[in-house]
Amino acid sequence: MDMHPGTTETRDGTTTPGGGRLNGRGRSVLLGAGPLSIEDVVAIARHGARIDLDEAALEGVAASRRIVEALASDPEPHYGISTGFGALATTFIDPDRRAQLQASLVRSHAAGSGEPVESEVVRSLMTLRLSTLMTGRTGVRVDTVRAYVAMLNAGITPVVREYGSLGCSGDLAPLAHAALALMGEGEVVDAAGVCRPAGEALAAAGLTPVRLAEKEGLALINGTDGMLGMLALAVHDLRTLLQTADVAAAMSVEGLLGTDAVFAADLQALRPQAGQADSAANLRLMLDGSPIVASHRGPECTRVQDAYSLRCAPQVHGAARDTVAHAELVAGRELASAVDNPVLTVDGRVESNGNFHGAPVAYVLDFLAIVVADVASMSERRTDRFLDRSRSHGLPPFLAHEVGVDSGLMIAQYTAAGIVSELKRLAHPASVDSIPSSAMQEDHVSMGWAAARKLRRAIDGLGRVLAIEVMTAARGIELRAPLRPGTGTGAVVRRVRADVAGAGPDRFLSPEIEAVVALVQAGAVVEAATEAVGALR
């Protein structure tokens, strides 16, 4: 999908200016027939950006609705318009029962269970369903689209439960909970964070519940939007976390008296993997001019090779980067899709299809969980080296202040190890499983929602493991005094010290770990590094 900057490919293969873009103030996203970007999804889902609808795209929505209304009056049955659904697809529904049919579909499919999922997940799936509605390929009414966006813009978030989606036909149950709220039923969390009945929240916001018409129930629930929204959020977060992994690795190389020679550009070029080259470049930048690294660069250094967790960091981090790039490619294609069943084609046909199957998204969600586990595993190994006096090259055991009295960072490594163990379990792919449903009509499903849910937990764990490495490496670097760290690594140490004290007698450690976790998750570690040495790749 190669396009000129400033253009967006629509679902019919044409290009238009800015299908979805932040305005100059970063407070709204213009949504048209073209795809949203990952940044658009994050802005709306996580940061509450307002959605403005493109009027030209709404004309296309109205045109497709006219096709549906013509078919609704046809005595011949048309799936999803004048018939039942799924195993009942051949059952003709009389016109006076079709509004009830659509409402019954939504009510019966809003069958989730478990704790409510995060607000940003619900907002992302609603945003992406709205994006598909705006393609003009679903046959909904313009008023329904406006009501859906009004609910999002009012900060009303339907309560969507943890369990219920098999990832085919898309994320039916999660999307049905959102559609139920549009009808004024079910539970929502309002803009003030209060859980209340949907009808009350809509009324308080000056909004009117929607009475669904032909085809609209299907159009509101038949898509991969839940798993795709979580993929978009994951890609966004992993970009920063993988830069953080490079920063942490550089700090460990420095603090453990490792060599930067193995990161040389000509050595990396012998294996032209794109992610590896970028990761190695970051390590070189972070370690450039480091007095600690320079202190053992001469012929008096008898160490031949560093351990793999130091020497091979670009190879592992780079492979993770390449995996994220592949996931971003798949996400981009899915963001440019119009997923519904049946769907209105560009030439006006209404056709059943299988585009709702979540396999493309589910596979990359599982792939990302694998690389998250591996990057975290390597990070934990570097942390452990700092704490072992036989491998830390002169540092006190466990980086303790008073050996024998203090435990130092011993149990912080336990925490990292426990998280890494869980990440390995979370790396087991969800997408290899399938349980038939709907009287064997839906006899193979993707489990993409489950893959996305476990990836979110895995990404949280990766941030915590990296934070413990940053915290440990910062203390190790300081214990190399009077030798000084490099410009980039030193800047990160200072940023950590702004929130967390340095070495000393044992203290309550959990709040300090959480403080560094917050820095990592907010991107503050990367920000400190880039302010000192320039942009990281």
Side-chain angles (χ1 to χ4, degrees):
M1 190 164 56
D2 296 322
M3 295 176 288
H4 296 293
T7 65
T8 305
E9 188 173 2
T10 66
R11 282 75 163 188
D12 62 2
T14 62
T15 59
T16 61
R21 60 181 183 273
L22 288 172
N23 69 12
R25 297 183 301 278
R27 290 200 297 258
S28 70
V29 175
L30 179 63
L31 180 55
L36 293 165
S37 68
I38 287 175
E39 289 71 24
D40 291 331
V41 175
V42 173
I44 297 165
R46 182 172 291 169
H47 303 299
R50 178 182 174 82
I51 300 174
D52 295 324
L53 299 178
D54 179 66
E55 292 299 324
L58 287 173
E59 293 176 6
V61 172
S64 68
R65 181 62 197 176
R66 289 191 289 272
I67 295 173
V68 168
E69 290 175 348
L71 294 173
S73 60
D74 189 344
E76 292 296 317
H78 297 276
Y79 174 64
I81 298 173
S82 55
T83 72
F85 313 112
L88 304 177
T90 59
T91 303
F92 183 80
I93 306 298
D94 291 331
D96 60 349
R97 304 297 302 280
R98 291 173 192 169
Q100 180 184 343
L101 171 70
Q102 300 299 318
S104 295
L105 174 73
V106 172
R107 289 173 184 138
S108 65
H109 284 55
S113 181
E115 292 298 312
V117 302
E118 304 83 1
S119 173
E120 69 177 21
V121 171
V122 181
R123 289 182 59 82
S124 70
L125 73 87
M126 292 177 67
T127 297
L128 294 171
R129 183 62 346 206
L130 182 63
S131 180
T132 289
L133 300 180
M134 286 292 287
T135 65
R137 305 271 70 82
T138 70
V140 299
R141 294 168 297 166
V142 169
D143 286 349
T144 301
V145 175
R146 291 193 187 277
Y148 205 79
V149 76
M151 187 164 65
L152 260 172
N153 284 343
I156 297 173
T157 305
V159 172
V160 173
R161 303 288 174 179
E162 178 75 27
Y163 305 107
S165 175
L166 301 180
C168 188
S169 297
D171 294 311
L172 288 173
L175 285 164
H177 279 270
L180 191 68
L182 185 68
M183 293 163 51
E185 302 177 24
E187 292 180 308
V188 300
V189 176
D190 65 17
V194 177
C195 185
R196 60 196 300 193
E200 288 183 10
L202 291 177
L207 304 177
T208 302
V210 172
R211 178 178 168 83
L212 300 179
E214 292 96 342
K215 178 67 173 65
E216 290 188 321
L218 274 179
L220 288 170
I221 70 172
N222 218 328
T224 58
D225 307 296
M227 64 184 89
L228 177 59
M230 287 185 274
L231 175 59
L233 292 165
V235 167
H236 175 271
D237 293 344
L238 283 171
R239 292 170 184 162
T240 299
L241 285 175
L242 290 179
Q243 288 181 323
T244 305
D246 289 342
V247 172
M251 294 174 71
S252 291
V253 168
E254 186 175 54
L256 290 167
L257 302 184
T259 178
D260 62 349
V262 294
F263 308 134
D266 60 343
L267 292 176
Q268 304 303 314
L270 295 174
R271 190 189 198 187
Q273 298 284 358
Q276 176 180 326
D278 288 342
S279 179
N282 288 342
L283 285 160
R284 291 196 303 271
L285 183 63
M286 289 296 298
L287 294 169
D288 185 43
S290 166
I292 295 178
V293 173
S295 71
H296 56 92
R297 190 174 273 146
E300 69 281 359
C301 181
T302 59
R303 294 173 60 191
V304 179
Q305 296 183 122
D306 290 328
Y308 288 2
S309 60
L310 302 176
R311 193 184 350 153
C312 301
Q315 285 73 17
V316 173
H317 296 181
R321 286 167 171 264
D322 291 340
T323 303
V324 172
H326 172 64
E328 190 167 354
L329 175 65
V330 172
R333 291 169 177 163
E334 200 74 5
L335 288 166
S337 301
V339 176
D340 192 14
N341 184 48
V343 69
L344 276 73
T345 64
V346 176
D347 60 2
R349 302 184 335 272
V350 178
E351 298 285 356
S352 292
N353 65 93
N355 286 337
F356 49 74
H357 199 291
V361 181
Y363 293 162
V364 294
L365 287 164
D366 280 335
F367 202 170
L368 290 176
I370 292 171
V371 300
V372 163
D374 204 36
V375 171
S377 177
M378 178 175 260
S379 171
E380 182 276 328
R381 288 294 79 204
R382 291 191 294 263
T383 295
D384 185 64
R385 296 188 75 81
F386 274 106
L387 307 182
D388 184 350
R389 69 186 309 171
S390 68
R391 294 180 293 149
S392 66
H393 304 286
L395 295 174
F398 305 108
L399 306 186
H401 177 68
E402 184 177 351
V403 178
V405 174
D406 294 318
S407 295
L409 299 181
M410 177 195 297
I411 308 303
Q413 183 268 331
Y414 285 33
T415 300
I419 294 171
V420 168
S421 180
E422 178 169 358
L423 296 186
K424 292 174 183 178
R425 296 190 294 272
L426 292 172
H428 179 82
S431 59
V432 299
D433 188 28
S434 177
I435 298 179
S437 58
S438 192
M440 291 298 289
Q441 176 72 7
E442 299 169 9
D443 60 350
H444 185 277
V445 297
S446 77
M447 298 297 180
W449 173 272
R453 295 305 296 160
K454 69 184 182 67
L455 177 60
R456 282 181 67 81
R457 185 167 178 83
I459 289 173
D460 177 77
L462 173 60
R464 295 176 187 281
V465 172
L466 291 174
I468 291 171
E469 182 184 3
V470 168
M471 181 179 178
T472 304
R475 183 178 292 196
I477 287 169
E478 289 175 323
L479 290 173
R480 296 298 181 187
L483 291 174
R484 294 178 293 104
T487 302
T489 53
V492 176
V493 172
R494 290 190 298 275
R495 180 64 188 86
V496 170
R497 289 293 163 257
D499 289 8
V500 174
D506 282 351
R507 304 180 297 269
F508 180 24
L509 202 53
S510 178
E512 298 189 3
I513 293 173
E514 291 303 295
V516 184
V517 168
L519 293 178
V520 168
Q521 292 177 339
V525 168
V526 171
E527 183 180 356
T530 57
E531 287 179 353
V533 298
L536 298 175
R537 296 189 185 182

